[in-house]
Amino acid sequence: MSVADLEKPSVERARATSFYEASARARIRLLLDPGSFVEFIGPEQREVSPHLKLFDLPEQFDDGIIVGHGQLAGSPVFIAAQEGRFMGGAFGEVHGAKLTGLLRAAKEMKSIPVLILLDTGGVRLQEANAGELAIAEIMRAVIEARTAGVKVIGLIGGRSGCYGGGGLIAGCCSALAVSEQGRIAVSGPEVIETNRGVEEFDSRDRALVWRTMGGKHRRLIGGAELFADDTVQAFREAALELLETTSGFGIDTLNAEQSRLEDRLQRFGACRDAVEIWAAEGVPDAASVPALPADQFIELADKLRRIARDAR
Amino acid sequence: MEDLSFHHQARSRAGGTRQMAIIGVVASGNLEVLAERVLPETECRLEIKTAAEGFGEVWDAVVADFVERYSPGGLKFSINDGGARPDTVSLRLAQAVRLMAEDEQ
């Protein structure tokens, strides 16, 4: 049997598997080349949270994050995947340390990129101080890895979206790919409603949530470089494309990012709703964007929005 | 949280050569099962940590039924349970044995 024959069933399965529905382990298995994944600190080591049992809460053997290395189209990558169904994919002490360690290893190696499959509500409330520290350590580790020449790619399409400190980490990555389901923000809908009132943000208005934080909006305002359909194969292809197109990192990148954000604020700062932003961006029928199928949306976004490749 | 432990004699050795497999996640109504090939060939052990207290008899019945059906000799199962129903527990245990019988991926 040739290599192509071996890979074929995997591609078909990756195409047929919803990224949103898949477990973190299934995402890794189908995203990387078949059989190439090697886990660091696997579940058999039982490196569980030291805090949860104080709260009489169940632990998970991998503390909700899987880290390791493997191959993507024949090239080595480091990879981390959060399990959004365990405590909302939230960061705790061990969970965070596993990602920090992976990024520091990547920094040492210099040449191997990191894929982070973010699926998180933010920091775990039961270990909030440790979790907040973990977010800060991870952000630093991402920037240090990028400074050493490592590409750090965020892939976002899970059921917990990418919120809280996860949104901050996403903002530090070299590039992001997001699906429609993969919401990216810092404060989640319920948090905004609790703090600012229902007139400011009605968290039960799902359409409002999607068009404010969802993947299509993030792609259209330049918060994410690529929009991916909700399949593991689409995220694999997006990761390959981003690894190909993402450039280096330095003070020029940060200056370009600063002017990108200033420009964005200037152009859209007065808009009251995402639909107004899309219209201002030149989307012909802005109200139809949420209903567009993925392929048509990608076509539209590619036509409209040149990605600032020098920024981030 | 409640800790439960079961020890059974199995008719025969569990199939396959894999040393370790994991299935499921710890969430409401779900559980994770970590299977390890670390016991003598006719023994089977289950260590359970469950969020739903007071269901020891149900676990006893589900585990006995599982060992009878799948004969998972040589396997140790470590379970973190978020309050799964008995049918979900049976399904995850069966999936774990199945994974152990498959080749290394």
Side-chain angles (χ1 to χ4, degrees):
Chain A
M1 211 191 286
S2 74
V3 174
D5 288 337
L6 274 170
E7 279 180 0
K8 210 169 154 203
S10 171
V11 171
E12 276 162 22
R13 278 185 69 186
R15 229 173 239 138
T17 302
S18 159
F19 189 93
Y20 181 86
E21 296 288 343
S23 69
R25 286 183 185 279
R27 286 172 189 163
I28 289 180
R29 190 172 62 243
L30 293 172
L31 194 95
L32 297 182
D33 298 351
S36 71
F37 179 63
V38 178
E39 187 168 357
F40 300 139
I41 319 171
E44 78 288 353
Q45 296 191 29
R46 296 169 169 77
E47 199 64 65
V48 298
S49 163
H51 304 279
L52 296 179
K53 65 167 158 302
L54 303 176
F55 295 91
D56 210 27
L57 286 168
E59 296 152 347
Q60 185 160 296
F61 291 124
D62 57 21
D63 203 35
I65 190 167
I66 301 150
V67 297
H69 68 93
Q71 306 261 322
L72 186 68
S75 296
V77 290
F78 287 117
I79 189 165
Q82 294 179 293
E83 176 50 68
R85 287 175 296 175
F86 175 64
M87 306 202 77
F91 288 87
E93 186 173 352
V94 171
H95 183 114
K98 287 170 79 172
L99 182 51
T100 306
L102 188 80
L103 288 159
R104 287 182 183 166
K107 185 186 90 174
E108 295 299 316
M109 305 288 284
K110 287 189 167 60
S111 57
I112 301 177
V114 185
L115 308 179
I116 309 178
L117 284 58
L118 291 152
D119 188 353
T120 184
V123 163
R124 209 177 278 173
L125 296 179
Q126 294 82 0
E127 39 190 309
N129 290 347
E132 297 286 2
L133 283 170
I135 298 292
E137 284 179 345
I138 293 162
M139 288 169 69
R140 173 177 285 270
V142 170
I143 298 300
E144 286 181 347
R146 289 182 62 193
T147 307
V150 176
K151 294 174 182 176
V152 182
I153 307 293
L155 305 176
I156 300 166
R159 67 186 64 221
S160 292
C162 182
Y163 284 104
L168 303 180
I169 293 164
C172 294
C173 288
S174 316
L176 302 175
V178 63
S179 68
E180 180 157 27
Q181 291 84 345
R183 297 132 289 150
I184 308 172
V186 178
S187 297
E190 286 85 0
V191 177
I192 300 174
E193 184 181 322
T194 304
N195 286 293
R196 304 283 297 183
V198 71
E199 284 83 15
E200 175 73 18
F201 202 94
D202 182 355
S203 67
R204 280 168 304 176
D205 183 345
R206 306 320 280 176
L208 173 68
V209 173
W210 290 116
R211 72 176 184 269
T212 311
M213 303 166 173
K216 281 179 174 165
H217 180 58
R218 291 297 175 223
R219 170 66 184 87
L220 285 178
I221 63 167
E225 278 71 10
L226 283 184
F227 182 87
D229 197 4
D230 176 38
T231 68
V232 181
Q233 181 65 19
F235 274 96
R236 177 183 157 96
E237 287 162 13
L240 283 165
E241 185 178 337
L242 290 175
L243 287 174
E244 187 75 26
T245 52
T246 304
S247 52
F249 177 69
I251 192 70
D252 294 345
T253 324
L254 290 176
N255 284 330
E257 178 71 354
Q258 178 70 19
S259 46
R260 181 182 76 83
L261 293 173
E262 278 170 8
D263 174 60
R264 188 168 87 179
L265 186 62
Q266 200 191 344
R267 286 199 295 157
F268 307 132
C271 294
R272 303 287 303 167
D273 192 290
V275 179
E276 288 180 32
I277 294 179
W278 305 338
E281 260 299 69
V283 177
D285 180 11
S288 73
V289 165
L292 277 184
D295 53 342
Q296 288 176 34
F297 174 78
I298 291 168
E299 200 180 314
L300 172 77
D302 286 348
K303 229 184 305 177
L304 278 173
R305 175 97 205 159
R306 68 269 172 253
I307 289 296
R309 292 284 180 206
D310 54 341
R312 266 283 174 202
Chain B
M1 295 297 296
E2 182 175 351
D3 290 3
L4 299 165
S5 178
F6 299 97
H7 187 216
H8 284 265
Q9 293 294 318
R11 288 189 310 278
S12 58
R13 177 188 176 280
T17 56
R18 245 173 114 156
Q19 292 302 302
M20 190 272 279
I22 187 157
I23 186 82
V25 297
V26 183
S28 181
N30 208 335
L31 73 161
E32 70 172 347
V33 176
L34 172 65
E36 293 164 292
R37 204 182 293 273
V38 290
L39 299 176
E41 291 198 342
T42 55
E43 282 184 45
C44 173
R45 190 180 286 278
L46 292 95
E47 308 281 350
I48 298 150
K49 289 180 188 225
T50 174
E53 294 175 18
F55 290 90
E57 282 179 28
V58 181
W59 279 100
D60 190 21
V62 168
V63 167
D65 180 59
F66 162 69
V67 174
E68 176 60 29
R69 264 207 228 181
Y70 292 93
S71 185
L75 302 188
K76 177 186 168 190
F77 297 90
S78 304
I79 294 171
N80 286 317
D81 172 46
R85 299 190 325 185
D87 53 347
T88 309
V89 175
S90 295
L91 174 72
R92 292 278 176 259
L93 287 168
Q95 285 176 313
V97 172
R98 177 79 175 269
L99 280 174
M100 292 299 274
E102 285 176 2
D103 294 335
E104 294 281 355
Q105 61 152 331

